[in-house]
Amino acid sequence: MAKYSPQELANVLKEGLLSFPVTSFDAQLQFDEENYRKHLAWQASYPVAGLFAAGGTGEGFSLTPAESERVVRAAVEEVGHLVPVLASAGGSTAQAIENAKAAEAAGAEGILLLPPYLTEADQGGLIEHVSAICKATSLGVIIYNRANAIYKDTTVATLADRHENLIGFKDGVGDLEHDARVYAKLGDRLFYLGGLPTAETFALPLLQLGMSTYSSAMYNFVPQFALDFYQDVRNHDRVAVNKKLNEFVIPYLDIRDRVKGYAVSIVKGGLDAIGRSAGGVRPPLQNLAPQDLADLKALIATVS
């Protein structure tokens, strides 16, 4: 059973850094629960505000529903007493409902609702999709604005009026006018988090639009750097933010951008580089090439 009400969860998440742990795989690319639990225990030993199991960085898109449930349950059992664990729900409406119910049964505190499985979705369809998931769970639900799920400010307002357990808006697009419209209309009714890859790049300007937090993938392998960066953002310390951008984040982006799909692969590469391997990535993603991994390892050494 969840320890937090939806609103209590929102209050916790909006005031700290959030992260999406990678999902550990063995040599056959099967879920390695023992290694995953070790990774979660390490992640939870730092003061992070929330961990999202089986999310994008956790390759949730390549997990079966049964695997996703197992990953979420393992995360809750391992660190749920230390930090809020949230799960993802995606695919068709029926599958997202199944994900949400399984996550609640596993003891997760909340749900990140990924875009539905459709090439196009209009606002009326999105309202019904989100409503179906919100009705299916008592957990707090965060909608993810990206891909084919672009929620107009009026749509978000309608959903917030209908469902008390809608607690958050995550943006993965970066349309500043759109974000400003959503925040102006909803205000403190929701909390807002940045979800662009890599989130640190956009964190300071988005803070001005009401996004008090973001999901940090690099927290997986340089947690203290990620937490320090977040504190600089919350302190509005532009000098410190720019220094960290130039010294680490932008060179990191340069490696990430060498191959499509590296946004996830580079995170597992970072764990390889620090001696905490979580295994490789599942196709269609591909692991970092040897030179890319060597360059990443040298970069990490500059902030470790």
Side-chain angles (χ1 to χ4, degrees), residues 185-197:
K185 183 169 287 291
L186 277 297
D188 292 336
R189 168 62 183 83
L190 302 178
F191 86 99
Y192 307 86
L193 58 150
L196 287 159

Side-chain angles (χ1 to χ4, degrees), residues 46-280:
Y46 290 84
V48 67
L51 295 173
F52 290 70
T57 305
E59 296 177 77
F61 44 81
S62 74
L63 300 174
T64 66
E67 286 177 322
S68 180
E69 180 179 2
R70 187 180 169 199
V71 168
V72 172
R73 188 174 295 277
V76 170
E77 290 176 355
E78 188 65 33
V79 300
H81 61 294
L82 298 173
V83 61
V85 172
L86 293 88
S88 294
S92 67
T93 303
Q95 181 181 324
I97 289 173
E98 182 181 341
N99 291 151
K101 288 182 174 180
E104 184 166 0
E109 297 288 346
I111 301 293
L112 175 66
L113 181 56
L114 304 175
Y117 177 68
L118 274 176
T119 55
E120 296 176 337
D122 210 340
Q123 299 303 296
L126 289 173
I127 288 173
E128 294 310 311
H129 176 71
V130 175
S131 290
I133 284 78
C134 286
K135 290 176 182 177
T137 180
S138 64
L139 300 181
V141 176
I142 302 163
I143 52 175
Y144 197 174
N145 185 74
R146 66 175 297 172
N148 63 314
I150 305 301
Y151 300 93
K152 290 184 178 179
D153 57 331
T154 51
T155 297
V156 181
T158 296
L159 289 166
D161 286 342
R162 284 190 186 182
H163 306 288
E164 290 186 3
N165 63 329
L166 180 67
I167 62 170
F169 178 87
K170 181 178 181 179
D171 180 56
V173 177
D175 182 334
L176 299 187
E177 179 183 332
H178 181 255
D179 291 340
R181 284 175 177 266
V182 172
Y183 184 75
K185 183 169 287 291
L186 277 297
D188 292 336
R189 168 62 183 83
L190 302 178
F191 86 99
Y192 307 86
L193 58 150
L196 287 159
T198 292
E200 279 81 0
T201 319
F202 311 91
L204 188 56
L206 289 181
L207 180 65
Q208 306 302 316
L209 291 176
M211 293 190 181
S212 62
T213 186
Y214 52 87
S215 55
S216 173
M218 63 177 61
Y219 177 85
N220 273 275
F221 58 92
V222 283
Q224 191 58 58
F225 175 86
L227 288 165
D228 291 345
F229 191 103
Y230 176 72
Q231 194 58 57
D232 291 337
V233 170
R234 291 300 300 265
N235 290 340
H236 300 267
D237 191 337
R238 185 172 299 277
V239 172
V241 167
N242 283 340
K243 183 174 186 293
K244 288 181 174 65
L245 284 172
N246 284 314
E247 291 180 352
F248 185 81
V249 178
I250 291 175
Y252 172 85
L253 300 181
D254 289 341
I255 299 171
R256 182 203 69 187
D257 291 343
R258 292 174 186 175
V259 174
K260 290 181 179 180
Y262 261 14
V264 175
S265 307
I266 196 171
V267 181
K268 282 197 164 176
L271 285 165
D272 286 337
I274 65 169
R276 290 179 172 269
S277 179

